[in-house]
């Protein structure tokens, strides 16, 4: 009987990938905390996770001519990113708020660790099932 990793791992594989992607976005916000006119970005984790588990895309277009522009470049990874609305806008136009970015990064790190532990327990269960423990 073959093992289906999609059904065995469930939602945790997608959640772990999205948490890693969000960590990069939040780290980018923190790296640009002193950059004038930099706009803080984030992604809607719940919406993206539900899209990935449902297997649907926001926008699907079909190219009918090789000279058409690919929608992958127009609506790539940045299409899922949202701009954060600052609670206290700064004079230089930067919307990164240090405390909020650090709090969101910490929450995302904890959620990443939880997803990793769930995924690890799934692998431990599969390993026990294969060994017959």
């Amino acid at each position: 009987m073959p093992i289906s990793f999609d059904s065995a791992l469930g939602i945790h594989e997608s959640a772990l990938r999205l948490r890693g992607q969000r960590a990069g976005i939040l780290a980018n916000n923190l790296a640009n905390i002193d950059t004038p006119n930099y706009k803080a970005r984030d992604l809607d984790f719940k919406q993206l996770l539900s899209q990935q588990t449902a297997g649907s895309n926001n926008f699907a277009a079909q190219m009918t001519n090789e000279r058409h522009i690919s929608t992958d470049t127009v609506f790539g990874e940045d299409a899922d990113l949202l701009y954060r609305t600052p609670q206290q806008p700064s004079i230089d136009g930067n919307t990164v708020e240090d405390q909020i970015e650090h709090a969101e990064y910490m929450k995302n790190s904890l959620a990443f660790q939880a997803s990793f532990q769930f995924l690890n327990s799934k692998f431990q269960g599969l390993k026990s099932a294969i060994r017959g423990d």
Side-chain angles (χ1 to χ4, degrees), residues 31-82:
N32 288 293
I33 200 162
D34 292 328
T35 304
N37 295 319
Y38 181 81
K39 306 299 181 207
R41 302 190 80 181
D42 200 355
L43 51 85
D44 187 354
F45 180 79
K46 289 180 183 176
Q47 179 186 7
L48 287 176
L49 187 60
S50 65
Q51 286 174 359
Q52 289 207 357
T53 54
S56 66
N57 292 329
N58 278 346
F59 185 80
Q62 182 178 8
M63 292 175 44
T64 56
N65 189 325
E66 71 269 358
R67 294 171 58 188
H68 289 166
I69 298 172
S70 172
T71 56
D72 294 339
T73 57
V74 176
F75 300 103
E77 292 179 10
D78 287 347
D80 297 328
L81 294 179
L82 305 171

Side-chain angles (χ1 to χ4, degrees), residues 39-132:
K39 306 299 181 207
R41 302 190 80 181
D42 200 355
L43 51 85
D44 187 354
F45 180 79
K46 289 180 183 176
Q47 179 186 7
L48 287 176
L49 187 60
S50 65
Q51 286 174 359
Q52 289 207 357
T53 54
S56 66
N57 292 329
N58 278 346
F59 185 80
Q62 182 178 8
M63 292 175 44
T64 56
N65 189 325
E66 71 269 358
R67 294 171 58 188
H68 289 166
I69 298 172
S70 172
T71 56
D72 294 339
T73 57
V74 176
F75 300 103
E77 292 179 10
D78 287 347
D80 297 328
L81 294 179
L82 305 171
Y83 288 104
R84 190 184 308 259
T85 304
Q87 295 178 356
Q88 294 180 336
S90 64
I91 294 173
D92 64 356
N94 187 315
T95 61
V96 178
E97 295 175 298
D98 191 24
Q99 296 85 7
I100 291 174
E101 295 299 330
H102 278 100
E104 291 296 323
Y105 192 86
M106 181 59 70
K107 285 193 295 187
N108 189 60
S109 296
L110 292 172
F112 182 89
Q113 183 67 27
S115 294
F116 183 77
Q117 287 178 344
F118 282 126
L119 201 55
N120 192 29
S121 68
K122 292 281 187 179
F123 278 117
Q124 293 295 328
L126 287 172
K127 196 162 79 177
S128 296
I130 291 171
R131 287 184 179 166

